[in-house]
């Protein structure tokens, strides 16, 4: 296993073999999970702390499940964002976690860069579970694994990432991962929701949904992240759906065997029509959640191997 770091803070900086090895290991965990043989002793005696300063359903539970399936003691700490006095609280938290001799720390924070800051202050291996608008590396890994299972390889695929790109750490991590692995990435959305540096990230920018979806292999929809918007960047949910919501008519221009993805939580009727979200053959949204557990097991596995034996 070629993984280069003590932590997983971002996809940016990882090279194709690092990503491919993580996905191969995650695939083996996916098969193990399906077979029901999930109890292992790999993380026995290790402590994993889930430190979530922002809301989460899927990510927190799947890290919890992944840790438990590998035998770790898992502790969930939820901190309401309103009570957080960023820098100071984080550093106070770091010394508390060190005193508890935590081995693996999973952190989600509204501030971009918070996991990186914490990684300099704690002895634990730190995993970024989403920091502001920066990155959400395990989401990109689970998305890549889901795509690979359907398309065989990421090389040469046309992937259209649609909607609120500007506020999306999911988009950022996916762009880094997919371009590194040789996919052709398009970002599709209104100019107000496309980041200024999009072209520098090696993607093609589309403001017209059908032009962006034309012949795509993968259509990835994103939630409108109103909590991160200042001012009215979108006229109304109804109007957004008309131009950028994924429905059968817009999806018809993508490849006939294209798959539809969404990281969740979904705003049905805003960025995606319910009939598409629940489509029995095109939607892989449920599989993304399943692969989330497998990818997080792979990440915990790889990072735990680098931990000192006794702390
Ligand atoms: C995403 C997140 O938190 O960045 N959700 C997730 O982890 N599945 C996307 C979102 O909140 O829209």
């Amino acid at each position: 296993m070629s993984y280069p770091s003590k932590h997983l803070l971002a996809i940016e900086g990882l090279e194709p073999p690092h990503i491919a090895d993580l996905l191969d290991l995650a695939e083996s965990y996916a098969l193990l999970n399906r077979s029901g043989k999930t109890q292992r002793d790999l993380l026995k005696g290790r402590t994993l702390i889930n430190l979530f300063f922002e809301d989460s359903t899927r990510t927190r539970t799947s890290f919890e499940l992944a840790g438990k399936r590998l035998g770790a003691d898992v502790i969930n700490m939820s901190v309401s964002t309103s009570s957080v006095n960023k820098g100071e609280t984080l550093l106070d938290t770091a010394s508390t976690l060190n005193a508890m001799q935590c081995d693996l720390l999973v952190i989600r924070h509204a501030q971009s860069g918070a996991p990186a800051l914490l990684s300099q202050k704690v002895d634990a291996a730190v995993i970024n579970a989403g920091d502001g608008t920066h990155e959400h590396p395990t989401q990109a890994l689970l998305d890549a694994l889901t795509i690979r299972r359907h398309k065989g390889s990421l090389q040469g695929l046309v992937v259209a990432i649609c909607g609120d790109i500007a506020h999306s750490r999911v988009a950022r991590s996916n762009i880094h991962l997919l371009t590194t692995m040789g996919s052709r990435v398009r970002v599709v959305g209104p100019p107000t929701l496309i980041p200024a540096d999009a072209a520098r990230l090696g993607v093609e920018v589309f403001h017209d949904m059908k032009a962006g979806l034309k012949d795509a292999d993968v259509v990835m929809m994103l939630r409108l992240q109103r909590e991160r918007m200042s001012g009215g960047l979108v006229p109304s949910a109804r109007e957004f759906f008309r131009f950028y919501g994924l429905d059968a008519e817009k999806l018809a221009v993508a490849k006939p065997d294209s798959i539809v993805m969404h990281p969740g939580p979904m705003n049905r009727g805003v960025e995606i029509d319910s009939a598409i979200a629940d489509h029995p053959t095109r939607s892989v949204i449920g599989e993304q959640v399943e692969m989330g557990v497998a990818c997080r097991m792979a990440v915990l596995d790889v990072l735990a191997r680098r931990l000192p034996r006794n702390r």
Side-chain angles (χ1 to χ4, degrees):
M1 174 56 71
S2 60
Y3 190 75
S5 168
K6 178 182 172 187
H7 310 288
L8 176 61
L9 301 174
I11 295 292
E12 188 175 16
L14 293 183
E15 288 167 18
H18 308 144
I19 294 168
D21 282 356
L22 277 171
L23 295 180
D24 289 345
L25 184 61
E27 176 67 38
S28 71
Y29 276 121
L31 298 175
L32 203 69
N33 285 344
R34 282 199 179 175
S35 77
K37 289 187 234 126
T38 50
Q39 277 305 330
R40 296 204 13 182
D41 288 341
L42 198 78
L43 298 186
K44 199 154 187 254
R46 298 290 191 191
T47 303
L48 183 159
I49 297 186
N50 267 328
L51 183 61
F52 278 63
F53 291 90
E54 275 192 343
D55 296 343
S56 170
T57 312
R58 276 152 288 264
T59 307
R60 195 191 58 69
T61 28
S62 80
F63 268 112
E64 181 174 356
L65 205 53
K68 286 182 172 165
R69 285 194 180 163
L70 295 175
D73 296 321
V74 181
I75 292 158
N76 294 313
M77 287 170 68
S78 295
V79 194
S80 86
T81 329
S82 57
S83 69
V84 170
N85 177 354
K86 282 173 294 197
E88 209 177 53
T89 304
L90 256 191
L91 299 186
D92 282 350
T93 309
S95 50
T96 308
L97 296 170
N98 263 347
M100 288 176 178
Q101 301 188 340
C102 158
D103 297 292
L104 294 145
L105 177 64
V106 178
I107 172 173
R108 168 169 286 190
H109 200 284
Q111 194 75 18
S112 300
L117 176 67
L118 211 55
S119 74
Q120 293 162 13
K121 306 288 175 192
V122 293
D123 299 324
V126 175
I127 301 167
N128 179 3
D131 62 331
T133 59
H134 173 230
E135 281 227 30
H136 188 353
T138 56
Q139 179 71 42
L141 289 168
L142 75 90
D143 289 337
L145 182 60
T146 308
I147 296 172
R148 218 179 66 160
R149 289 170 71 96
H150 285 266
K151 301 291 167 196
S153 157
L154 301 169
Q155 179 70 42
L157 290 180
V158 175
V159 182
I161 307 179
C162 311
D164 186 358
I165 313 290
H167 302 97
S168 178
R169 52 202 180 199
V170 175
R172 224 160 242 284
S173 286
N174 264 299
I175 289 169
H176 287 306
L177 190 152
L178 293 165
T179 54
T180 302
M181 299 308 276
S183 303
R184 288 168 49 202
V185 179
R186 302 172 179 170
V187 294
V188 187
T192 47
L193 297 181
I194 303 283
D197 64 345
R200 191 188 60 81
L201 297 171
V203 302
E204 271 185 279
V205 177
F206 292 80
H207 300 307
D208 178 76
M209 184 82 167
K210 281 192 180 165
L213 294 193
K214 179 128 187 48
D215 296 327
D217 296 286
V218 177
V219 180
M220 187 183 293
M221 301 308 299
L222 299 173
R223 182 175 66 90
L224 271 187
Q225 304 203 14
R226 291 187 187 276
E227 75 276 20
R228 295 189 212 284
M229 292 181 196
S230 46
L233 297 179
V234 181
S236 74
R238 242 177 87 191
E239 207 165 353
F240 184 82
F241 183 74
R242 196 168 135 227
F243 289 103
Y244 294 103
L246 186 66
D247 56 12
E249 192 208 328
K250 296 190 192 85
L251 184 60
V253 304
K255 288 220 180 107
D257 63 348
S258 58
I259 55 171
V260 174
M261 310 180 78
H262 194 304
M266 278 186 277
N267 290 313
R268 290 171 183 262
V270 179
E271 69 262 355
I272 190 164
D273 184 40
S274 259
I276 300 297
D278 301 330
H279 195 284
T281 54
R282 306 291 286 279
S283 169
V284 298
I285 295 168
E287 190 176 340
Q288 286 175 269
V289 178
E290 181 188 354
M291 292 310 125
V293 179
C295 282
R296 283 154 188 146
M297 288 171 85
V299 169
L300 295 177
D301 178 337
V302 165
L303 297 186
R305 284 168 204 265
R306 300 176 66 111
L307 288 170
R309 287 233 159 264
N310 295 305
R311 301 195 46 222

